[in-house]
Amino acid sequence: MILKKKSFAKINLFLYVTGKRSDGFHELSSLMAQIDLADEMEFVFGGNGIRVTCDHLLVPDGKMNLAYRAAALFFKSYEKKMGHFPLGVSIQIKKQIPVGGGLGGGSSNAATVLMVLNEYCSAVFSRVELMGLGLTLGADVPFFIFGMPALATGVGERLEKYPDLPELYLVLCDPGVSASTSDVFKNLDFRLTSRRNYNMNTGLNALLGELRGDGREKLHNDLEVSACSLYPGIASVKEEMEVLLKRNVYMSGSGSSLFALFFGPDDAKKAYEMLAKKWAKGYKNVFLTSLRR
Ligand code: ATP
């Protein structure tokens, strides 16, 4: 049996770093939403064991791939519960989501694997159990299993549905830099984060201000200063994009992807076409996409 699935990317509309736990993990408050940009995943069931291949140079095949680790975790957990292993699976990933882009590509692939295998095995695990398994693979994995826009706190695992997002279109740019999430967190200067004067309303008010288009408030990402000092290419593309689009541009997650928000598909399309034409020859990659609500 062959099954094809889309594995969607996410963006962080805002992201505040609110603390650091004794185990070294950072606590966040972030509004996360999936977007239409997606990898294509193909699952072939049968035989024994797990095989994973990916068509992207920066993404490993086999055991180092997060999709493999998700399948191995599912197999182990299934065996513990049912007393035997499920049928084997071969997984092929066609990457569209920029790698190291702060768009959660690897986490999304891992979540898709957990959900597809669980469905294939007659839903032996509940959604909450699956999210618990996902968290052991990465902080963003539970969000993709949750499956709707969410306010994320804790290390990203405490998720609260955020149903009030309007229709939003995005012009998204991969500035041609792959950012390391762990390096960006290590380089974080706590004197520059919002942890002292932040509560969730700060982010939501900034979002409302942004959506009203009155420019009073700006969305914010506490990881931006760190990412831009490690990868100056992010800052220069952001500035260029803000000048060309005449609007605020934000970084998603730990970078490197940058995005601008639009209310209408036509304005977004015009902006996308202008950037795509202007940057056709370079290393930057531009996408036209929208929020999944
Ligand atoms: P996050 O913000 O969730 O940390 P990201 O979007 O910045 O992630 P990813 O694209 O998920 O970054 O990739 C980060 C690293 O994970 C890369 O070094 C990549 O080689 C490795 N990786 C392993 N498996 C995958 C996968 N299935 N898809 C993407 N990257 C993967």
Side-chain angles (χ1 to χ4, degrees), residues 58-60 64-66 95 99-107 109 140 181:
L58 295 177
V59 179
M64 294 300 288
N65 196 297
L66 259 174
K95 271 276 152 203
V99 175
L103 301 173
S107 304
N109 293 171
D140 287 343
T181 303

Side-chain angles (χ1 to χ4, degrees), residues 36 44 53 58 60 83 101 127 129 143 145 171 196 206 212 232 247 254-256 275 280 284:
D36 276 322
V44 182
T53 54
L58 295 177
R127 185 169 289 260
E129 285 173 321
F143 164 74
I145 300 173
V171 173
R196 268 187 221 93
R212 281 196 212 103
R247 67 181 61 217
S254 53
S256 56
L275 281 192
K284 301 188 270 294

